[in-house]
Structures are given as structure tokens and as C-alpha cells.
Amino acid sequence: MPSDPARPQARITIRDADPSDTAFMHSLSPRLSGVPGPVWHTRAAMDGFQDRHMAATVDAGLAGARTLMALSEGGQRLGYIHLQPGKDGVTDEPCGYVAVLALVEEAEGQGVAAQLMAQAEAWARAQGYRFLSLDVFADNVRAIDVYTRGGFGAETIRMVKPLT
């Protein structure tokens, strides 16, 4: 992601996650399930979705996946990004997929997400992928803004109509 001179850039270290980071990654799940999501889903439903998503991605140990941890100058964990091989929805060619990006609240607005996304792009390029993709809830406008500033654009939009 290009750096925005109006936004502060935290001095961070990015390293591969290790087993000692697992509890920290799971501790951010309530932040992820608490982001603006579809109004027809309860918080309990969003919590369940997040638990299943973590099990299927971060905890699954998929071949070719990589999890990166962002640390402050003092070594405090600020957030992480989980990357894995995916498939492009149109061409079916292999691509990189950002399965999870999560930060502690104090790291928001400091450029940490941008630095993690830059590492994601470098990882995807090193794998020879033409695309890097991700999913975001349509109501999560803050995240959409971050991704749009980073060069992402909508490819498809899934629409849902509650029938109750």
C-alpha cells in the first residue's frame, strides 16, 4: 500500500507468527466479529462466524499459508495478517488471499495495516500470483476505505435479502 503522508506511520517490526502468538490472534476475534456487519445478523451469529473462520484459516495450517505479526518498537503485539493461497473467482487461477487482518485498537490509524498489507503484496508477488484478494463486510466502511486506498477494487458484490 502506498504511504499516505497525512497518516502517521508506526515504527514496527514484522515477523512470522509462531505458536506463542496463537492466544493473541484469538484475542482479537471479538474485535473482528464486532465490526459493522449485516444488521440482520446478531452478534452471536457474527461471533460464531468468526470462530469458524479462524478454525478454517489461521488454525487449519493450510499448505502455503503464512501469518505475519506486527510488533511495536517495545515488542508489543499490534496485530497480524494471515495469508493463504486462493483462487481468482473469474479466471480460477491461483492468487493470494488475505484471510484475516486484525489490529489492537491502539494500532489503528498508525499505518500498521498498510505495512502488513505491503508485506502481503510482497508475499503474493513472491508466489508468482497476479492477484491478491480479500473479503470484507459491506457495512465495514472503515476497512473498505483502507483497502481502496491500497489499490483494491470490488470485483463482485454478494447481495442478501433476509426473508424473515
Side-chain angles (χ1 to χ4, degrees):
M1 287 178 133
S3 181
D4 181 348
R7 293 187 177 273
Q9 290 286 305
R11 289 189 174 161
I12 65 170
T13 300
I14 298 176
R15 63 162 171 79
D16 284 301
D18 61 46
S20 72
D21 297 313
T22 302
F24 169 77
M25 291 186 285
H26 281 272
S27 77
L28 294 180
S29 284
R31 293 206 71 222
L32 293 170
S33 60
V35 300
V39 297
W40 51 84
H41 288 306
T42 65
R43 177 60 189 257
M46 295 296 287
D47 289 343
F49 166 80
Q50 182 59 33
D51 290 345
R52 290 187 307 277
H53 185 68
M54 289 292 286
T57 58
V58 175
D59 298 341
L62 300 172
R66 187 172 187 198
T67 305
L68 300 172
M69 187 69 48
L71 305 164
S72 70
E73 288 182 275
Q76 176 188 2
R77 294 175 181 105
L78 300 174
Y80 72 99
I81 191 166
H82 181 75
L83 311 165
Q84 61 190 46
K87 291 252 183 190
D88 180 69
V90 175
T91 65
D92 206 35
E93 69 186 276
C95 71
Y97 181 70
V98 178
V100 182
L101 172 61
L103 303 178
V104 296
E105 187 174 356
E106 302 79 41
E108 289 182 1
Q110 303 300 310
V112 176
Q115 292 177 64
L116 285 167
M117 289 300 293
Q119 291 294 312
E121 289 181 27
W123 168 82
R125 284 188 180 98
Q127 304 308 307
Y129 298 139
R130 252 183 356 123
F131 301 113
L132 180 62
S133 65
L134 54 83
D135 290 300
V136 61
F137 283 110
D139 291 342
N140 191 348
V141 294
R142 185 173 183 176
I144 291 169
D145 183 52
V146 167
Y147 299 134
T148 301
R149 281 196 319 267
F152 284 80
E155 183 174 66
T156 63
I157 298 173
R158 180 177 184 211
M159 300 182 74
V160 175
K161 178 180 180 180
L163 299 176
T164 58

